[in-house]
C-alpha cells in the first residue's frame, strides 16, 4: 500500500504530456524515472466534453477515447508498478459536466432520481457553501437558469459544471463505486478536487462534525489508498482536514505556496519562515504537499491585499498576466526571466520544505507560457520533448540540476514536518530548514537574493550545492540565488 512519506510526485496531463494519450505517458515513464520521481499524478483522462481540461466529467469511471481505452490505463498502471512507481489519479466529484447523463435526466424529468443529485433553487440567492464564483470575471453568478427544469442550478466553477450534492446518499454511493473502480484498475492514491466545497456541502445535509464526516467516509471508501486534498484554506483549518489521520493523508498546501512566491518577490525568507511556523503538526501518516506551479493559476487569495500586490507587481506586471482578481496565469520560468540559477533555486526551496514535493511537467525544463490563450490555458501547454533531449546532454542544464536535487533529496530519506524547523539567520535573504534525523541533521540553505552572502557555520559535510565552493568546516558562502545542503551535528 502506498504511503506519501518520502515520495516525489510528478504531475502530468495526458492531453499535453504526449500526443498519444495514456500510451504515450507509458512510453515516457523513463523521463519521470530519470528525473527521480517515484509517483505519477495523472490529470483527468475521463470521458468529458473537455471544456475545462477534462474537469467537466461525463463518466467518472470511463477513459475518454482521446486518451485511449481502459486497457491502456491498465497497461500504464501495470508498467508503473513494474518500475516501482505509484499512480495517483484525480477524483473530481464536486461537480459534473452539464452533459452528464445524471444532469440531463435531472433537468428533463422532475421525478428523476437524479434531480436531487444536484443543488437547485427557485431564485438566485446567497449561499453558505459557495460565497462567490471561483472564476470571478468569467462567471458573474453561482446560479444558472435551466429552462427545462424551470429552476436555477448552482455552479461553484463554470456554468457548464453543475454542483453535486455530495451529502446525498446516492451521490456518495457512486463516489464509493468510482474509488473502488480505479483501485481495482491499479490506482494507488487519489488527488481530491475542491475539498472545502464538498465538506461545506456535506454539512448542509448533515452538520455532524461541520461536514468533515464526508472526508472520513471518503477515506473509508479508499481503503488505505491515500487521499491528497486540494485545500485552499488557512493553516488553522488543516487539522480538521487531517482528522486523526483518518481523513486526508496529504494536504496540498496553498498557504505555503503563496508565501513562497512572496518570499521570491521580496528576496526575503520571512514569509517562508512564517509559513512553516503556522503549519500545524500533522497526525502520524499524514503530511503536506509542496509545489512551484500547478495546472491552474497561481492562486494568491490567501495573501493580504498588500502582499498580493507585491507578488503581482514582481511577477505579473501586465494585466494580461493576471486572472480572476487573485491569481497569476504564468509558468515559473518566464516569471523568473528564464534565469536558470533562480529557477533551480526555486526548485531547491520546494525540495527543502518538509513534506512531499510535486514537480509539474515541464517545470524541470523551464517550459514557457502562451498568454495569447485564455485563462489557465496559458500554462497548459504541450511538453517540449526536444528541450528534454537537449538538456539531458547539458551538465549545467535546469533538467540536470532538478534531477540532482531530487536524487539527493530521496537519498536523504523522509523529511516530514515533525522533525523540521525553519532557522533564522542575520541575513534576511537566507532561507534555512533544519531536518533532524536519528543520528545527525541536514541543514538546507537557499539564498533568495541576487547578492553573494557569507556566514559562519560549523558543519560536517556538503551534500549538495548549486556550484563548487571552497571547502571549509566553518565558512559558508552562497552565490546569488545559490543553495547548499549540509550535514550538521
Amino acid at each position: 500500500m502506498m504511503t506519501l512519506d518520502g515520495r516525489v510526485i510528478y504531475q502530468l496531463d495526458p492531453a499535453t504530456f504526449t500526443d498519444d494519450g495514456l500510451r504515450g505517458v507509458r512510453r515516457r515513464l523513463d523521463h519521470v524515472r530519470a528525473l527521480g520521481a517515484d509517483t505519477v499524478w495523472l490529470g483527468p483522462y475521463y470521458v468529458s466534453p473537455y471544456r475545462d481540461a477534462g474537469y467537466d466529467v461525463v463518466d467518472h469511471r470511463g477513459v475518454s477515447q482521446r486518451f485511449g481505452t481502459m486497457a491502456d490505463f491498465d497497461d500504464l498502471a501495470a508498467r508503473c508498478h513494474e518500475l516501482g512507481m505509484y499512480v495517483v489519479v484525480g477524483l473530481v466529484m464536486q461537480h459534473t459536466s452539464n452533459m452528464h447523463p445524471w444532469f440531463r435526466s435531472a433537468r428533463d424529468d422532475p421525478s428523476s432520481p437524479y434531480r436531487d443529485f444536484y443543488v437547485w433553487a427557485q431564485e438566485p440567492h446567497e449561499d453558505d457553501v459557495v460565497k462567490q464564483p471561483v472564476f470571478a470575471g468569467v462567471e458573474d453568478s453561482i446560479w444558472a437558469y435551466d429552462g427545462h427544469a424551470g429552476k436555477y442550478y448552482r455552479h461553484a466553477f463554470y456554468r457548464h459544471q453543475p454542483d453535486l450534492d455530495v451529502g446525498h446518499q446516492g451521490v456518495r454511493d457512486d463516489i464509493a463505486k468510482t474509488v473502488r473502480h480505479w483501485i481495482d484498475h491499479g490506482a494507488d492514491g487519489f488527488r481530491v478536487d475542491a475539498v472545502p466545497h464538498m465538506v461545506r456541502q456535506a454539512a448542509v445535509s448533515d452538520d455532524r462534525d461541520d461536514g468533515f464526516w464526508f472526508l472520513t467516509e471518503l477515506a473509508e471508501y479508499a481503503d488505505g489508498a491515500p487521499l491528497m486534498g486540494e485545500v485552499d484554506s488557512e493553516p488553522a483549518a488543516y487539522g480538521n482536514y487531517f482528522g486523526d489521520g483518518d481523513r486526508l493523508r496529504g494536504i496540498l498546501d496553498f498557504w505555503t505556496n503563496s508565501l513562497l512566491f512572496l518570499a521570491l518577490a521580496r528576496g526575503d525568507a520571512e514569509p517562508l519562515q512564517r509559513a512553516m511556523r503556522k503549519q500545524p503538526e500533522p497526525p502520524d501518516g499524514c503530511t503536506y504537499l509542496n509545489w512551484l506551479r500547478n495546472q491552474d493559476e497561481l492562486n494568491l487569495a490567501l495573501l493580504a491585499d498588500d502582499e498580493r500586490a507585491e507578488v503581482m507587481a514582481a511577477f505579473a506586471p501586465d494585466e494580461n498576466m493576471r486572472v480572476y482578481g487573485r491569481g497569476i496565469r504564468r509558468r515559473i520560468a518566464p516569471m523568473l526571466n528564464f534565469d536558470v540559477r533562480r529557477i533551480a533555486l526555486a526548485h531547491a526551496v520546494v525540495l527543502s520544505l518538509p513534506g512531499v514535493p510535486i514537480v509539474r511537467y515541464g517545470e524541470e525544463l523551464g517550459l514557457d507560457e502562451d498568454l495569447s490563450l485564455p485563462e489557465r490555458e496559458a500554462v497548459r501547454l504541450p511538453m517540449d520533448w526536444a528541450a528534454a533531449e537537449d538538456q539531458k546532454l547539458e551538465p549545467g542544464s535546469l533538467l540536470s540540476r532538478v534531477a540532482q536535487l531530487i536524487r539527493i533529496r530521496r537519498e536523504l530519506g523522509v523529511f516530514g514536518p515533525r522533525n523540521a524547523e525553519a532557522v533564522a539567520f542575520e541575513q534576511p535573504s537566507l532561507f534555512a530548514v533544519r531536518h533532524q534525523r536519528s543520528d545527525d541533521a541536514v541543514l538546507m540553505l537557499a539564498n533568495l537574493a541576487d547578492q553573494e552572502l557569507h556566514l559562519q557555520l560549523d558543519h560536517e559535510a556538503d551534500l549538495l550545492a548549486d556550484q563548487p565552493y571552497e571547502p571549509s568546516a566553518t565558512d559558508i558562502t552562497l552565490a546569488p540565488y545559490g543553495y547548499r545542503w549540509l550535514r550538521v551535528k
Side-chain angles (χ1 to χ4, degrees), residues 376-435:
R376 298 164 296 167
E377 297 303 311
V379 302
R380 296 171 173 176
L381 301 180
M383 180 68 165
D384 189 339
W385 289 109
E389 291 301 317
D390 290 345
Q391 291 193 32
K392 283 180 184 177
L393 304 175
E394 184 182 341
S397 69
L398 180 62
L399 176 61
S400 64
R401 294 187 187 206
V402 176
Q404 180 193 40
L405 284 161
I406 292 174
R407 177 177 59 81
I408 300 299
R409 165 68 189 259
R410 291 190 63 191
E411 288 177 358
L412 292 173
V414 175
F415 282 169
R418 287 175 174 269
N419 299 313
E421 63 173 336
V423 181
F425 285 86
E426 290 182 1
Q427 297 89 339
S429 69
L430 181 58
F431 177 58
V433 185
R434 185 179 190 274
H435 295 275

Side-chain angles (χ1 to χ4, degrees), residues 341 427-430 446-455 466-470 476-484:
R341 300 172 307 158
Q427 297 89 339
S429 69
L430 181 58
N447 180 10
L448 304 181
D450 62 356
Q451 296 182 353
E452 185 175 273
L453 61 79
H454 303 269
L455 63 149
D466 66 293
Q467 63 180 50
Y469 290 98
E470 288 292 330
I476 298 292
T477 298
L478 279 169
Y481 304 129
Y483 52 86
R484 293 177 75 170

Side-chain angles (χ1 to χ4, degrees), residues 253-309:
D253 188 3
F254 284 81
W255 161 258
T256 297
N257 185 252
S258 298
L259 288 170
L260 163 60
F261 279 89
L262 181 60
L264 291 174
R266 290 178 174 176
D268 190 320
E270 184 279 327
L272 279 167
Q273 295 166 353
R274 187 196 328 165
M276 288 188 61
R277 284 197 306 269
K278 289 198 173 183
Q279 271 186 338
E281 186 175 290
D284 288 340
C286 298
T287 192
Y288 295 103
L289 297 115
N290 306 297
W291 69 97
L292 279 176
R293 289 293 289 111
N294 60 18
Q295 73 280 7
D296 295 321
E297 80 281 7
L298 170 57
N299 190 338
L300 304 172
L302 293 175
L303 296 180
D305 290 347
D306 58 337
E307 293 174 334
R308 188 181 313 111

Side-chain angles (χ1 to χ4, degrees), residues 68-125:
T69 65
M70 188 63 70
D72 292 327
F73 179 87
D74 294 341
D75 289 345
L76 171 58
R79 182 56 179 159
C80 284
H81 296 155
E82 288 174 4
L83 296 172
M85 301 171 71
Y86 294 98
V87 180
V88 170
V89 301
L91 190 62
V92 187
M93 300 295 298
Q94 189 272 340
H95 55 261
T96 70
S97 165
N98 61 357
M99 302 301 290
H100 196 291
W102 292 348
F103 189 73
R104 293 170 73 89
S105 174
R107 66 197 289 263
D108 292 340
D109 181 3
S111 63
S112 167
Y114 301 112
R115 174 62 71 99
D116 292 338
F117 276 32
Y118 295 91
V119 181
W120 301 90
Q122 292 295 337
E123 297 290 341
H125 62 268

Side-chain angles (χ1 to χ4, degrees), residues 48-63:
S48 165
Y50 220 75
R51 297 181 64 186
D52 181 24
Y55 285 89
D56 48 329
V57 182
V58 164
D59 180 359
H60 292 92
R61 298 196 285 275
V63 174

